[in-house]
Amino acid sequence: MTPHLTRRHLLGLGALQTAAALGLTRIGLTSAAAAEQAPTTDYAPAVVVGSGYGAAVAALRLGQAGVRTVVVEMGRLWDTAGADGKVFPSTGAPDQRSMWFRNRTEAPLATFLWLDVVNRDITPYPGVLDRVDFGDMSVYVGRGVGGGSLVNGGMAPTPRRSYFSEVLPEVDADEMYGTYFPRARQMLGVNDIDPAWFESTEWYRFARISRKHARNTGLRTTFVPNVYDFGYMKREAAGQVPRSALAGEVIYGNNHGKRSLDKSYLAAALGTGNVTVETLQRVVAVRRDTDGRYVLTLRGIDLAGRVVGIRELACNRLFLGAGSLGTTEILLRARETGALPDLSPAVGTGWGPNGNVMTARANHLWDTVGARQATMPALGIDDWDNAANPVFAEIAPLPMGIEHWVSMYLAITKNPERGTFTYDPATDSARLNWHISQNQPAVAAAGQLFDRINRCNVTIYRYDLFGDNKPFADTFTYHPLGGCVLGRATDLYGRAKGYPGLYVVDGSLVPGSLGVNPFVTITALAERTMDRILAEDGPADRTR
Ligand code: FAE
């Protein structure tokens, strides 16, 4: 499904490009240069924190409703080419643009053949991928205008209706599946791979081999839709356009082909003329003033990470879209420091890694996976209906430019364990309480599935990829979910309990597990929230 590019989209895209070309940190439609020079505002009717999925939906719907809205994002705008002529570096040759203020990259795959050949030394810089470490659990997140959409694999499945209703029983599933999921898919530009091309192209040989082994085991596979433009990918394969998914680009950004949020929701939001995006601005505190307005403290940095300003920004309506980690930290800090003391005790609870576990198998010499692999996964092993051991395992590429006989997977399991966050006053940050043993249910579930596959195909696990000779990567996630769960920390539409005008719109609403990759659901829930709030909660600019 191709997103419909309206005139407003195009206006917004133009504003993004101008801002990028001029190196601006404030992006709006009123001539980008003028927006940058306008006096720094200290008030906006609505402020949106972050620019990932939930935030982008909020910004667009507020802008369309005529509400002047400021979006504040701690990362930079990714829209201008570096010295190499590219916006993003490739996974194989990462540079400073790859990671958020690191001296060395920290790719999910630690080693290959136990060799430290994957990671590279880099200069600290506000790069696009961050890994937030909490002892036994590390969380990968995107940084920049577009949040996770800049770095993710684009997989855009809709959850099984039965499991969605199990996870969020109080949300009207008819409405979600009839209105909001279709709307989210359309707006995000979700599309399907051409099955005939999938069967014939060398770029998905790795997936076909994994499918063969799944079928030998009696397992079902399913195509997974994506927001990467599969039509563009076909043209890449034909040599007609510059390569991105076929050139190893994904976790450090895609230079082409991917419909990230800056090309969909955020462009449309800017195009309304009511939305301004401010970059390299981190929200470090929020309080409420005597007029009932929310006042944010923002810390601005430059590209070297130096603090260049601290200021306050007030608003009537505050929409938190800083992701599961970001939003939970902002609210937890506010509650624990006494700034917003009446926030629900449920803030900081109900967090989970969506049962994520990665694993890899070694194939027989005759089962080659191909030196050429598209970076966008397109197929999954779907054993979610196996009540005894539900697993949905996406068949992940490992594009190293050589034949390596490795089949890799990201398994999503139904791990019931949940983590909680506590506020640490010494570091002024949220700490996740999660013990490695809490991922055992996920490892056991993935193990049951892949033991079966290995037995049927007489293959073994790979032990050289994830460190410590481990066949399962159980210490990181790509899918942080929860922390401010819908119906617990908020009402059923993301309104923070105890604080009118304060809303949560991102992945922190989802209680730790979804059974599939989460961004379509986060987008659809945000659409549902914005419909309700704009209809029920009155005008945002009631005090000014
Ligand atoms: P998110 O997209 O994380 O955006 C939050 C934004 O807020 C970020 O831009 C932050 O920089 C910003 N922020 C945070 N704190 C602050 C602050 N204090 N002040 C200002 N700004 C702040 O939130 N999901 C899928 O569905 N399919 C996939 O194929 C997939 N692959 C993934 C691959 C990778 C490598 C990663 C990291 C994630 C992947 N995900 C995938 C997960 C997906 O990207 C994630 O669920 C969504 O991005 C979460 O959306 P949110 O709106 O919650």
Side-chain angles (χ1 to χ4, degrees):
M1 207 185 293
T2 306
H4 179 58
L5 281 187
T6 60
R7 190 178 144 267
R8 289 190 158 175
H9 263 100
L10 297 174
L11 284 171
L13 284 169
L16 284 161
Q17 276 154 12
T18 313
L22 300 176
L24 308 180
T25 56
R26 197 176 316 154
I27 309 142
L29 207 56
T30 41
S31 140
E36 180 80 345
Q37 271 143 32
T40 300
T41 175
D42 60 358
Y43 168 79
V47 168
V48 177
V49 182
S51 59
Y53 291 91
V57 173
L60 172 61
R61 300 306 174 199
L62 287 163
Q64 284 177 329
V67 180
R68 194 162 60 77
T69 302
V70 173
V71 176
V72 283
E73 165 57 50
M74 65 187 271
R76 55 161 282 200
L77 173 64
W78 291 96
D79 214 355
T80 186
D84 60 355
K86 292 178 178 175
V87 175
F88 298 109
S90 81
T91 316
D95 59 26
Q96 62 171 11
R97 292 169 292 181
S98 60
M99 290 205 71
W100 182 257
F101 293 107
R102 288 295 195 289
N103 291 305
R104 191 165 172 77
T105 58
E106 295 175 16
L109 220 67
T111 53
F112 188 78
L113 293 171
W114 292 277
L115 299 172
D116 185 11
V117 291
V118 179
N119 287 309
R120 301 270 189 286
D121 289 340
I122 53 172
T123 312
Y125 183 81
V128 72
L129 181 70
D130 198 359
R131 176 178 164 130
V132 184
D133 296 318
F134 299 104
D136 286 355
M137 175 58 70
S138 296
V139 182
Y140 282 99
V141 291
R143 297 271 181 239
V145 178
S149 77
L150 298 167
V151 298
N152 67 33
M155 295 181 82
T158 301
R160 278 266 202 303
R161 185 172 167 143
S162 54
Y163 192 55
F164 177 83
S165 291
E166 193 179 321
V167 171
L168 289 168
E170 291 159 296
V171 174
D172 180 348
D174 280 345
E175 207 180 49
M176 286 297 291
Y177 286 79
T179 302
Y180 297 115
F181 280 123
R183 185 185 296 173
R185 283 194 295 264
Q186 201 274 332
M187 288 296 298
L188 291 166
V190 174
N191 70 151
D192 298 302
I193 195 165
D194 169 359
W197 187 68
F198 174 85
E199 296 304 338
S200 60
T201 178
E202 60 184 325
W203 296 97
Y204 280 103
R205 182 178 172 75
F206 74 95
R208 296 196 299 270
I209 290 292
S210 279
R211 180 180 61 186
K212 180 175 100 172
H213 294 161
R215 282 180 176 165
N216 290 344
T217 316
L219 292 160
R220 196 175 83 88
T221 57
T222 179
F223 283 117
V224 183
N226 205 295
V227 292
Y228 195 91
D229 181 345
F230 282 118
Y232 186 90
M233 194 189 286
K234 264 186 179 176
R235 296 196 293 281
E236 288 178 58
Q240 295 162 351
V241 289
R243 285 183 172 168
S244 183
L246 304 191
E249 294 177 356
V250 58
I251 59 169
Y252 303 135
N254 280 94
N255 285 298
H256 310 280
K258 166 113 67 88
R259 293 157 177 160
S260 46
L261 290 166
D262 50 328
K263 306 199 170 51
S264 58
Y265 272 100
L266 292 169
L270 284 164
T272 66
N274 293 317
V275 176
T276 311
V277 180
E278 299 200 18
T279 60
L280 297 170
Q281 297 280 324
R282 183 179 194 142
V283 173
V284 291
V286 56
R287 63 183 169 83
R288 207 168 179 213
D289 70 13
T290 44
D291 297 341
R293 296 181 315 179
Y294 294 96
V295 182
L296 300 166
T297 307
L298 303 181
R299 191 165 61 207
I301 58 165
D302 65 13
L303 294 177
R306 287 181 294 251
V307 177
V308 292
I310 294 187
R311 62 181 246 256
E312 290 196 329
L313 173 61
C315 60
N316 288 330
R317 295 286 167 78
L318 177 56
F319 294 82
L320 295 178
S324 165
L325 300 185
T327 291
T328 305
E329 180 172 78
I330 289 169
L331 289 183
L332 192 65
R333 181 190 289 124
R335 190 187 67 202
E336 297 301 304
T337 56
L340 300 177
D342 298 330
L343 283 168
S344 162
V347 167
T349 67
W351 186 87
N354 204 19
N356 277 191
V357 176
M358 283 194 89
T359 191
R361 300 169 41 248
N363 290 308
H364 296 292
L365 282 181
W366 55 86
D367 275 338
T368 52
V369 293
R372 302 182 124 190
Q373 302 195 6
T375 55
M376 297 294 141
L379 202 68
I381 300 171
D382 190 354
D383 202 27
W384 197 261
D385 289 333
N386 175 353
N389 195 57
V391 179
F392 175 74
E394 74 183 53
I395 299 168
L398 180 53
M400 298 191 68
I402 50 162
E403 175 58 53
H404 49 54
W405 292 275
V406 178
S407 284
M408 203 155 80
Y409 308 87
L410 172 65
I412 296 176
T413 66
K414 195 176 172 180
N415 185 355
E417 289 288 333
R418 294 291 173 267
T420 54
F421 291 90
T422 41
Y423 173 67
D424 176 10
T427 54
D428 190 29
S429 61
R431 233 190 350 219
L432 175 66
N433 305 297
W434 177 271
H435 189 263
I436 185 96
S437 61
Q438 291 181 272
N439 240 350
Q440 249 334 99
V443 172
Q448 266 197 48
L449 178 77
F450 288 102
D451 285 359
R452 273 171 69 195
I453 295 178
N454 277 336
R455 257 197 317 274
C456 284
N457 295 284
V458 199
T459 50
I460 55 167
Y461 290 107
R462 291 281 296 228
Y463 292 84
D464 56 318
L465 302 172
F466 306 115
D468 301 329
N469 288 326
K470 289 208 290 196
F472 297 100
D474 58 350
T475 55
F476 64 79
T477 182
Y478 300 122
H479 301 165
L481 294 175
C484 301
V485 172
L486 196 72
R488 294 187 225 157
T490 72
D491 78 351
L492 285 174
Y493 292 91
R495 298 175 176 108
K497 287 186 180 166
Y499 289 94
L502 175 58
Y503 309 95
V504 175
V505 291
D506 56 24
S508 57
L509 294 169
V510 181
S513 167
L514 201 56
V516 292
N517 319 58
F519 72 62
V520 169
T521 305
I522 294 169
T523 305
L525 284 172
E527 287 281 15
R528 171 181 171 274
T529 288
M530 294 311 295
D531 259 9
R532 177 61 65 115
I533 288 167
L534 288 168
E536 279 186 356
D537 289 12
D541 45 2
R542 50 176 193 272
T543 61
R544 276 195 212 184

